[in-house]
Each structure stands twice: as C-alpha cells, then as structure tokens.
Amino acid sequence: MVKEKTAEEIKQIWQQYFAAKDTVYAVIPAEKFDLIWNRAQSCPTFLCALPRREGYEFFVGQWTGTELHFTALINIQTRGEAAASQLILYHYPELKEKKGIVLMTAEMDSTFLNVAEAQCIANQVQLFYATDRKETYGLVETFNLRPNEFKYMSVIAELEQSGLGAELKCSQNQNKT
C-alpha cells in the first residue's frame, strides 16, 4: 500500500493513524535504528528507570527479534520467568532499505502503565542505545557484560541529566496535591 509513497508521506500516515490512539508509536530513521539494532545484538537486555511519586521503578527491557519487551523488575524478582511484559515495542524494519525508516508501535498493559509512562520508557531506548556518549551506552554494556559492576543509580543519574521523565515527575507531583 505504501510502496509508491515517500518516507515523509508514510511518516504522516503513521502519525495520523496513531495520533487518535492511546499508545506509543514512532518513525525511526534507518541510521538510528541500525545503531540501536547493532548494539542490541551484543547487549540485548537493559534497565530503564521510570519516575514515580516516591522515587523510581525499574523496568527490564529484553530484545526478542525486533520486539523489545519491558517488565517491571519487581515482577521479575517475584515471578521469575512467569513475569509478563507490561510494555512491548514492535519495530517494523520492512521499509528501512527502500524508504530509510523503521516504524514502531507498542502494546502496553494499562493496569501498569499509562501512555506518558510507556513513552518515557520508549524514549530511554533511544537515550541508552542510540547515544553518541560513550558513558551512556557504557551503562548498557556494563549491565550486559559486567553485571557485578552495574550501579542502578547511574541509570537514574543519566535519566535526570537527559531531562527525560521530568514532565512525568511533575505531573505525578501535581496529581498528589
């Protein structure tokens, strides 16, 4: 259906289609997806920090093919292998070669996450996997290759430095009053 469309037209169609839906979606430039994908091959698991009213909640992300499954760390600790994903990011690389884009959408468990929270987690994939900063991607490498050296607080520090999640923290604090 979109073979004759330009990348920009496809991007507009994707955004219009999902704009009215309560979900996370993106159009990722091929170069950025390639960087994320190549890094995910050697480091398929990582930890994201989601701002909560009282501190942060950690979510473990695990790549399975072009799907990225996120599960709350507490669920993994209590349920082990039986822990269900609260967020799945689906990447569709079919248009990457000809159009230079990869489409992404998500499925989320709305009893655990709202759209803003899911978006915060999705943005962290880009923050940690598509960064030019060696120190930032180094956290992913440490988590995967030298887990005994990994420090959870470094993820929070990186998240706070990036500004991601700041709006989430503000809205949660406003909801409290």
Side-chain angles (χ1 to χ4, degrees):
M1 259 174 58
V2 295
K3 262 192 260 184
E4 304 305 314
K5 305 267 186 229
T6 67
E8 192 53 42
E9 289 170 322
I10 296 168
K11 181 179 178 177
Q12 287 174 348
I13 292 167
W14 193 253
Q15 289 172 335
Q16 284 172 350
Y17 179 77
F18 284 104
K21 300 193 181 322
D22 217 17
T23 192
V24 174
Y25 61 93
V27 178
I28 306 167
E31 312 75 51
K32 189 164 285 202
F33 180 79
D34 285 342
L35 179 59
I36 293 168
W37 181 250
N38 290 333
R39 288 176 167 178
Q41 300 314 295
S42 57
C43 296
T45 308
F46 192 56
L47 198 72
C48 292
L50 185 63
R52 294 293 193 193
R53 270 193 203 120
E54 305 297 326
Y56 289 86
E57 182 177 10
F58 289 104
F59 282 78
V60 177
Q62 173 74 48
W63 285 89
T64 304
T66 56
E67 295 177 8
L68 181 50
H69 294 251
F70 286 95
T71 306
L73 180 59
I74 190 75
N75 288 350
I76 293 171
Q77 291 168 333
T78 56
R79 295 196 179 111
E81 293 292 313
S85 299
Q86 278 86 43
L87 174 66
I88 305 170
L89 302 180
Y90 297 99
H91 298 85
Y92 301 98
E94 293 83 356
L95 301 171
K96 188 169 73 91
E97 298 307 316
K98 286 195 168 47
K99 304 294 180 179
I101 56 173
V102 172
L103 303 176
M104 186 273 286
T105 188
E107 179 183 323
M108 61 182 210
D109 182 339
S110 58
T111 60
F112 281 91
L113 297 168
N114 63 38
V115 174
E117 292 165 337
Q119 186 66 59
C120 181
I121 292 172
N123 287 343
Q124 289 182 61
V125 176
Q126 185 170 318
L127 173 67
F128 289 104
Y129 278 90
T131 182
D132 292 332
R133 289 188 68 230
K134 258 194 329 208
E135 303 83 7
T136 306
Y137 179 64
L139 295 174
V140 178
E141 290 178 313
T142 302
F143 186 82
N144 282 270
L145 309 173
R146 299 177 308 283
N148 55 325
E149 296 172 26
F150 182 76
K151 293 179 177 44
Y152 288 81
M153 291 308 292
S154 344
V155 172
I156 292 170
E158 198 64 39
L159 181 64
E160 287 179 349
Q161 182 182 334
S162 76
L164 280 180
E167 295 161 12
L168 208 51
K169 201 96 172 135
C170 287
S171 71
Q172 289 173 348
N173 288 336
Q174 287 169 351
N175 291 344
K176 221 174 21 181
T177 56

